[in-house]
Every structure is written in C-alpha cells, then in structure tokens.
Amino acid sequence: MTAAASERADARVTVLIADDQPLVRTGLSLILRSDPSVEVVGEAADGAEAVDAAARLRPDVVLMDIRMPLMDGVRATAELAAAHPECRVLALSTFDMDEYVVAALRAGASGFLPKDVSPEDLLAALHTVKAGESVVAPRLLTRLIETYVRTPDAPQPLASGVLSRLTPREVEVLRLIATGAENTEIAAAMRISVSTVKNHVTSIFAKLGIRDRAQAVVAAYESGLVRPRPGTP
C-alpha cells in the first residue's frame, strides 16, 4: 500500500448505525454515505443486534440510539466497551438533557449528539470519536450530570480510595476538567504549561482506566471530588 493510500485508509471511518426506527436509519445512512471518507458497514434495529453486528463487522464507530427495545443503547454500549474497546460509541438522543445520556457515558460512550444535529457536525463528530477524543462539550456534560446524578437509578459513588491513585496535581486537574475547563484554562489556573496539563490528563486516564474527558467528568462526580450545586434537581 502506498503512503497516500494508507493515509486515505486512516482517514476513512467505518460506521454501524443502531436505531429502532427504519426511517431514522435510512436518513442517517444517506447523510453518512454523502461523505466519501465515511463507510456505512451495517445497520441494527436494537442493542442486541448492534452488539452482534459490531462483533462481526468491527466498525470504527457505532452510532447508537439510546432508547431502543429489547436491549437499549446503554446496555449495548457497556457490552461493546467490555468486549470491543477499540470500537467507539457515539450516542444519539432525542433530547439534549437526558439521564440516559449520562448512563451511556458511564457505560463507555465517547460522546453524544442530539438527533437534530446538522449533517456537518455529525460527520465531524465521527472523525473526532475515531481519533479517540470525546465530542460532548464538557460544560454541557457537567449540566447533564448535575441534573441527573441524584436520580434513584444513579450508581453509588466510587470508593473514596479511587482518588488515592492520583497525585495532588492530578486531582486538581481532574477537578478542573469536571468544571468544564479546557487544557488552556487549566494551564492558566494552575500556572503550568499546556503540555504539562496534557501529561497530567494522560496519566489520569491511565490510572482511572478511562478513555476521554467525558468519562473523566463522570468519574469526578462519582468519586465525590465534585458535587452537584445546591438546588440542582
């Protein structure tokens, strides 16, 4: 394979679409097929089908509807994260503020988008997720967690010892990530370089076994490092 061909292959994103509504699957497929850098390798009508299809087709990204019959997107995401961690999940939700979105991020989704997202943003998000980054805005994720962290179905906080794996500097970086701060803002707040912040972030991810900033925010709340503001539902 030539260098140019290899570069084109690396830029291509293979996608599995999982949604219980045939019309939605067709619409998403038409949007994705309009971009030559995206290849739709399959479709699934529920979470169980998505898990089976992902095991066979090994897509880069599963575009996963959160609310589906038989097996919802949250459980399917958890199974994929455990069995095929190299396969990224981009969750789709009808509503911006949805407790199922937080559950999907806890389960291992690399981000989420509302179903009314523009085609341009959807295509860009697929490439971002394939690259190993999250596509959920930290401040929006913080709002989501603050809204739903107290629901009856929310899991119990992580053992307090989880933060003992981190150095004091790393704990502070994690706290700032949870407030929605970007690397440049963290660097300014802690009076350190952006490259040092990046090193801290990499170390935090490795020590806590998480993949991206979205899961870092969830971990910060579940460990008790950051708590919902008073008066939050």
Side-chain angles (χ1 to χ4, degrees):
M1 180 181 290
T2 66
S6 177
E7 184 175 344
R8 285 195 298 272
D10 289 342
R12 190 184 66 172
V13 183
T14 56
V15 181
L16 171 68
I17 299 171
D19 196 291
D20 62 314
Q21 299 182 40
L23 206 58
V24 173
R25 294 199 305 272
T26 299
L28 289 171
S29 182
L30 287 172
I31 290 171
L32 300 185
R33 292 180 195 277
S34 70
D35 187 327
S37 69
V38 176
E39 179 185 359
V40 177
V41 295
E43 298 181 7
D46 59 61
E49 284 188 17
V51 173
D52 290 342
R56 287 186 289 103
L57 302 170
R58 297 301 176 93
D60 296 316
V61 182
V62 177
L63 201 53
M64 183 85 74
D65 183 26
I66 294 297
R67 297 172 182 260
M68 292 187 288
L70 301 182
M71 180 190 291
D72 65 26
V74 175
R75 181 177 166 193
T77 296
E79 293 200 9
L80 283 174
H84 306 288
E86 75 285 352
C87 178
R88 302 286 173 166
V89 174
L90 182 56
L92 290 177
S93 174
T94 304
F95 306 101
D96 285 347
M97 299 297 286
D98 187 340
E99 69 271 26
Y100 282 81
V101 170
V102 176
L105 293 168
R106 284 192 185 104
S110 295
F112 78 92
L113 293 172
K115 283 191 175 180
D116 61 357
V117 64
S118 71
E120 295 79 12
D121 286 345
L122 173 59
L123 291 165
L126 291 172
H127 288 280
T128 299
V129 167
K130 181 192 175 182
E133 301 176 21
S134 59
V135 296
V136 57
R139 288 180 175 83
L140 181 54
L141 176 59
T142 298
R143 282 177 53 216
L144 276 165
I145 293 177
E146 287 185 340
T147 301
Y148 294 110
V149 75
R150 292 182 180 178
T151 59
D153 293 333
Q156 295 300 311
L158 300 177
S160 59
V162 69
L163 295 179
S164 66
R165 305 173 196 168
L166 308 181
T167 67
R169 292 287 247 182
E170 289 168 350
V171 170
E172 180 61 12
V173 169
L174 179 60
R175 186 188 68 78
L176 290 168
I177 288 175
T179 67
E182 302 290 349
N183 285 352
T184 53
E185 296 170 315
I186 295 173
M190 297 183 64
R191 298 184 178 180
I192 55 179
S193 69
V194 173
S195 62
T196 299
V197 173
K198 290 179 179 177
N199 289 338
H200 284 318
V201 171
T202 299
S203 178
I204 291 168
F205 288 2
K207 289 180 178 180
L208 298 186
I210 55 181
R211 299 192 302 188
D212 52 41
R213 296 175 85 90
Q215 287 192 322
V217 176
V218 173
Y221 275 87
E222 291 189 331
S223 67
L225 176 63
V226 181
R227 298 184 182 279
R229 290 188 295 261
T232 304

